[in-house]
Amino acid sequence: MVVARRAAGLVLGALTAITLVIGLSACGSSATTEQSDSGSDAGESGSTSESPSETGTPPDDDMWMISLSGIGPFEIGMRYADALTTPSADVSELCEGVAQTSVPESVDLSMWVIASERDPASTLSEISISAPADTIEDIPSGPETEKGIGLGSTATELVDAYPDARELDDTGVPGRIMYYVQAGDGGGMIFTTTAESEAIWQISITTGETPAYEPCA
C-alpha cells in the first residue's frame, strides 16, 4: 500500500510539472506574439509619419491662368492691400491705387492691377496684361485662358473659342478694337486688338467698364 501511494504521488507530481511547463510555454508564446505585433505596428506608424508623400505638394505651374475672375493669383474683388503683398509675384505701386506686377518667366509682358476708383482701401476692379502691339507676334507665350487664348492670339481664334464674344461699340480710344466675354455675374474678359492687326495685345479682367487707358493719369 505504501509503495502504491508513493507511485501515485510520483505520477501526480509529474503530471503537475508537465502542466506547468505547458502553461508557461503558452504564456511565453503569447507574449512573444504580442511584442511582435506591437513592434510591427510601431514600425508601420513610424514609416507613415516619415513618408515623403505627406511632406507637401509642389506649386502648381498652371496657377497663372486667365479666367473670367482674374489672372494668376489676382482676382477681381480681392483687397488691393492683399494684392500688394501677393507672395508669388513682385508687386510695386505705380501710383495711388495702381500697382504693377511681374509675370513668372514672361519678362516682356506688362501686368497691372487697379483698385476701384483708385482707392487703396478698396478692392480690385481691373487686372490687365499686355505687350507692345507692334511686337506682339515676337512675344513668347504667356498666361492663357482655359481655351488657349492669350496674348498673340487672333480675334478670329478668340471668336472661335468664345462664340459669345462681342465687339464693343465704344472702346474710348480711337484705333482700338475690343471684344468682351461676359461673366455670369457681371464683368468679364476684354481682349484688345488694333485696326491694323487682329493680334490680341492686351487682355483685361474688369467689373464691366473698359480698361483704363492711362491708369495713373
Side-chain angles (χ1 to χ4, degrees):
M1 293 295 292
V2 173
V3 173
R5 287 177 180 175
R6 288 180 178 177
L10 290 173
V11 170
L12 181 59
L15 290 175
T16 301
I18 291 172
T19 300
L20 289 172
V21 170
I22 293 174
L24 291 172
S25 297
C27 290
S29 175
S30 175
T32 301
T33 301
E34 290 176 2
Q35 291 176 356
S36 176
D37 290 343
S38 175
S40 175
D41 290 343
E44 289 177 1
S45 176
S47 174
T48 300
S49 64
E50 298 175 359
S51 174
S53 63
E54 295 186 4
T55 59
T57 56
D60 186 2
D61 292 335
D62 293 332
M63 70 173 293
W64 281 88
M65 300 246 334
I66 300 172
S67 70
L68 290 167
S69 61
I71 301 176
F74 303 95
E75 294 190 353
I76 294 296
M78 77 181 297
R79 294 175 63 244
Y80 178 75
D82 292 337
L84 293 178
T85 58
T86 299
S88 56
D90 294 326
V91 185
S92 58
E93 203 162 25
L94 295 176
C95 56
E96 190 173 52
V98 180
Q100 178 176 296
T101 176
S102 63
V103 181
E105 300 182 5
S106 300
V107 295
D108 295 321
L109 305 183
S110 297
M111 182 171 170
W112 59 92
V113 298
I114 303 176
S116 179
E117 299 182 355
R118 310 299 191 275
D119 180 1
S122 66
T123 59
L124 299 186
S125 61
E126 178 185 334
I127 304 165
S128 291
I129 188 169
S130 71
D134 57 348
T135 61
I136 188 62
E137 295 180 359
D138 300 324
I139 296 297
S141 61
E144 297 180 342
T145 71
E146 63 178 357
K147 295 186 178 182
I149 301 300
L151 297 178
S153 298
T154 66
T156 299
E157 292 171 334
L158 169 65
V159 174
D160 287 343
Y162 297 93
D164 58 339
R166 62 182 178 86
E167 185 176 340
L168 296 180
D169 296 328
D170 183 12
T171 65
V173 182
R176 292 189 180 185
I177 299 174
M178 296 181 182
Y179 295 86
Y180 181 45
V181 177
Q182 185 173 354
D185 55 352
M189 300 184 289
I190 296 179
F191 301 83
T192 302
T193 67
T194 65
E196 294 78 21
S197 172
E198 273 201 328
I200 296 168
W201 62 272
Q202 180 171 304
I203 300 174
S204 304
I205 313 302
T206 76
T207 54
E209 66 279 7
T210 56
Y213 176 50
E214 295 181 345
C216 289

